[in-house]
Amino acid sequence: DKLIPDLFGSSCSIIKNSWYFFIEDFVIFGNSPQSLTNFSRYYETGKTLDLNEGFDAISDNIAKKSNLLLLIKPHDFLHKPDTYLNSETARNIENYATTVNNIQGLAIQFTDSDPFIYSSFYLLNNPDYKEDNLAVWKTELDGNIARKPFLVKDHKTGMFNIVAFDDDANIYLISTDGKILWKKRIDALPESPIFQVDFYKNNKIQYLFNTRDFIYLVDKNGENVANYPRKLNPSATNGLNLFDYDNKKDYRLVVAQADKRIYNYTIKGKQVNGWSKPKTSNIVSDPITRLVAGKKDYFIINDLDNNISIVNRRGTRRIKLTANPHKARNSSFYINKTNSKGIIITTNNEGKLTYIDKNGNLKYTDFGNFSPIHFFLYEDFNSDGAKDFIYVDGSELKVFDRFKNVLFSFTFESTISIKPEFFSLGSKQKVLGVVADQEKAVYLFDKKGNTIISRGLISETPFTVGSLENNSEINLLTAAGNILYNYRIK
């Protein structure tokens, strides 16, 4: 008892007990196990001082080494000045509460350098300061988290819960505030994303996904719906895709199976009449892409040999390609919004922008040389109303406009192996998010290429962005190990 005040004096008398634990080279003392647990939570979720902009400003103005360093947040200090100050000074501080609240932080430092003791004092004044608290909560699952987390709407509250999977093929439903509502074992990890459907058309939501051998439909209580799970025979070779052509809840489930055919099912598990079950030369592992242009549907099928078929709603050929586009593995298909060179665009193994016109002819635009495993996104990066061309190759990010001008470039500390995502941050702001899984970090770039949050978002998996409470706050959900993190980014 009283070890800390005995060592450091009465100014540390608030630490009466001697609970402690170690983080790297530091020993942390606290009055209770709970206080240490809270401290550990901040540390694990990236809420450390070196991620705080205010501390960065302070640390640039103080000595790197000292015998004693006091860091104080004056706003918190106002609630307990008598703990650290004599009564006269405490009253003076309270009389200037408004001014003190404008101080983001202060540092007091004492350094011994025989025969002198040096004292330093630094104060950061910032009337616009707002406390940032990105890490809202974290939840520990029983196994390491696999795949990305998904947001699913709670039809009773109007808010959103989270569906996550661990590497033991358990599915979890986690509440808005991070509590595990239920856990359920399935036969294998999912191949598809989580799709939300209204099976009974009564405004109650269920969760649809597939593994290799089954299609699952689970309600918010973790119970199987109707006659699900449904056995897939032969097995699926990709994740299913869900389509609701006219937004009438007349769902279509399109999935590739091991007989090298593409199947189309109703939500009740029956094969759709009139669908021709297109045959491919090899197994299809990528999800089927559906694009709509000029009121026409283009279903794009890409097999393991990179053979591409483009069919209509009946599964019959829409476009006959005159040559193989040799699509890059991590590239995607988009409707061309830039020019009249073709209906569909993607990139090939060399990174060349590849156009596919209505007759199946190919045209190209060269943005430079890229490896066959580059990522490609076609989005309006700088919010000027025109689509831009976003490449991530190895550790390099480059964004080009339609005139081949480089709008932005960035070099990461490690190779990027998870597909970047472009998403809205509110009604006006668009953001490019990149997961650097070797760094366990997420980078968020705005339209000017500035990092919105430079550090502190821990991640080893793809992330999901949305508003958990269905309000103006924006959350980013991601995971590392067996920990699911919820960060508030707006």
Side-chain angles (χ1 to χ4, degrees):
D1 290 344
K2 300 181 181 179
L3 172 64
I4 297 303
D6 284 350
L7 284 173
F8 299 111
S10 60
S11 61
C12 295
S13 60
I14 193 171
I15 308 296
K16 297 180 174 63
N17 297 323
S18 296
W19 293 95
Y20 71 93
F21 75 124
F22 292 94
I23 292 181
E24 297 182 356
D25 293 332
F26 296 89
V27 56
I28 315 300
F29 284 88
N31 273 330
S32 68
Q34 183 59 45
S35 67
L36 296 181
T37 298
N38 291 337
F39 185 98
S40 175
R41 173 177 172 270
Y42 278 112
Y43 178 81
E44 291 176 357
T45 55
K47 295 297 293 180
T48 50
L49 277 174
D50 65 321
L51 307 181
N52 182 283
E53 292 182 6
F55 178 73
D56 284 344
I58 291 174
S59 63
D60 288 340
N61 292 275
I62 59 177
K64 302 303 179 185
K65 294 182 178 181
S66 61
N67 295 81
L68 181 64
L69 170 62
L70 300 178
L71 296 171
I72 299 170
K73 289 195 296 182
H75 175 77
D76 294 341
F77 193 71
L78 280 172
H79 302 296
K80 46 194 173 186
D82 291 327
T83 304
Y84 302 100
L85 305 173
N86 62 41
S87 58
E88 180 182 357
T89 307
R91 298 294 80 77
N92 286 334
I93 289 290
E94 289 179 334
N95 289 336
Y96 291 92
T98 301
T99 301
V100 172
N101 273 322
N102 289 337
I103 300 173
Q104 185 169 342
L106 61 90
I108 302 170
Q109 194 172 34
F110 297 96
T111 306
D112 172 51
S113 181
D114 190 41
F116 302 106
I117 293 179
Y118 294 91
S119 59
S120 304
F121 180 88
Y122 183 80
L123 178 149
L124 179 63
N125 187 62
N126 183 3
D128 298 322
Y129 169 66
K130 292 182 179 179
E131 180 75 20
D132 79 3
N133 184 19
L134 298 180
V136 181
W137 51 254
K138 68 181 179 69
T139 297
E140 184 175 350
L141 275 57
D142 293 334
N144 286 337
I145 297 172
R147 312 291 195 265
K148 68 184 289 184
F150 297 91
L151 298 186
V152 291
K153 193 167 187 178
D154 187 321
H155 52 260
K156 288 187 177 180
T157 66
M159 296 192 291
F160 288 84
N161 297 322
I162 303 101
V163 172
F165 297 87
D166 69 21
D167 53 11
D168 291 323
N170 292 304
I171 177 176
Y172 299 76
L173 185 68
I174 299 162
S175 69
T176 304
D177 56 2
K179 296 178 181 178
I180 296 176
L181 300 175
W182 50 258
K183 167 186 167 183
K184 180 186 180 75
R185 186 71 178 266
I186 56 177
D187 73 298
L189 283 172
E191 299 295 323
S192 71
I194 300 295
F195 296 98
Q196 298 178 78
V197 301
D198 182 357
F199 181 85
Y200 296 106
K201 298 184 178 181
N202 60 358
N203 296 317
K204 293 183 178 180
I205 294 172
Q206 300 85 34
Y207 319 133
L208 177 78
F209 61 93
N210 78 290
T211 63
R212 290 284 181 181
D213 294 312
F214 293 93
I215 299 177
Y216 286 84
L217 186 61
V218 180
D219 66 19
K220 66 168 292 186
N221 297 314
E223 301 296 330
N224 292 320
V225 176
N227 294 319
Y228 284 88
R230 291 183 174 274
K231 176 72 173 175
L232 286 168
N233 187 18
S235 298
T237 59
N238 71 349
L240 67 83
N241 212 337
L242 180 77
F243 306 115
D244 182 9
Y245 299 133
D246 302 312
N247 295 317
K248 294 181 178 179
K249 302 179 182 179
D250 187 18
Y251 303 105
R252 295 292 181 263
L253 288 60
V254 180
V255 61
Q257 295 181 223
D259 58 356
K260 302 176 187 176
R261 289 192 177 276
I262 310 301
Y263 288 81
N264 195 341
Y265 298 98
T266 69
I267 193 64
K268 294 184 178 180
K270 296 181 180 180
Q271 293 190 34
V272 173
N273 291 329
W275 176 261
S276 66
K277 292 191 290 188
K279 178 77 173 177
T280 58
S281 300
N282 204 342
I283 293 296
V284 173
S285 60
D286 292 339
I288 309 303
T289 299
R290 178 194 176 220
L291 301 176
V292 180
K295 298 183 179 180
K296 291 183 179 180
D297 289 280
Y298 297 84
F299 291 85
I300 304 175
I301 305 164
N302 188 22
D303 72 15
L304 289 178
D305 291 331
N306 223 355
N307 298 306
I308 294 173
S309 303
I310 303 175
V311 302
N312 58 24
R313 281 192 191 184
R314 298 182 299 278
T316 58
R317 188 164 61 202
R318 170 75 75 187
I319 295 177
K320 181 180 180 181
L321 295 171
T322 58
N324 191 327
H326 299 292
K327 184 187 81 71
R329 181 199 310 172
N330 296 320
S331 188
S332 301
F333 295 99
Y334 300 89
I335 292 296
N336 179 22
K337 303 285 188 180
T338 300
N339 50 40
S340 58
K341 290 184 178 181
I343 299 170
I344 299 167
I345 64 170
T346 186
T347 55
N348 67 12
N349 285 328
E350 297 173 349
K352 289 183 174 63
L353 193 66
T354 304
Y355 301 88
I356 303 173
D357 70 16
K358 64 180 181 180
N359 298 315
N361 298 312
L362 306 181
K363 296 180 181 179
Y364 303 93
T365 298
D366 192 346
F367 285 93
N369 293 323
F370 296 90
S371 77
I373 58 172
H374 70 268
F375 294 97
F376 170 71
L377 286 79
Y378 181 55
E379 304 285 353
D380 183 6
F381 179 83
N382 61 358
S383 299
D384 66 350
K387 295 283 188 177
D388 302 305
F389 308 90
I390 303 170
Y391 289 83
V392 177
D393 191 16
S395 61
E396 299 294 324
L397 163 64
K398 289 186 177 181
V399 182
F400 301 88
D401 66 12
R402 63 187 184 278
F403 304 111
K404 299 185 182 180
N405 298 314
V406 177
L407 298 177
F408 172 62
S409 63
F410 186 85
T411 301
F412 300 95
E413 296 178 10
S414 58
T415 298
I416 304 303
S417 59
I418 295 174
K419 184 176 180 177
E421 292 199 30
F422 196 77
F423 60 91
S424 296
L425 196 60
S427 59
K428 297 180 180 180
Q429 187 177 13
K430 297 292 183 69
V431 175
L432 175 65
V434 183
V435 175
D437 56 327
Q438 294 179 41
E439 301 173 41
K440 295 186 179 181
V442 181
Y443 291 79
L444 302 180
F445 300 99
D446 68 11
K447 65 181 181 180
K448 295 181 179 179
N450 299 319
T451 50
I452 296 175
I453 301 167
S454 57
R455 295 179 62 190
L457 301 180
I458 297 173
S459 181
E460 293 177 326
T461 68
F463 60 83
T464 294
V465 173
S467 178
L468 285 178
E469 296 187 2
N470 202 11
N471 56 18
S472 59
E473 293 181 356
I474 305 296
N475 304 90
L476 185 146
L477 283 299
T478 189
N482 69 331
I483 306 294
L484 176 71
Y485 296 97
N486 169 24
Y487 295 104
R488 185 172 64 241
I489 58 176
K490 185 176 180 180

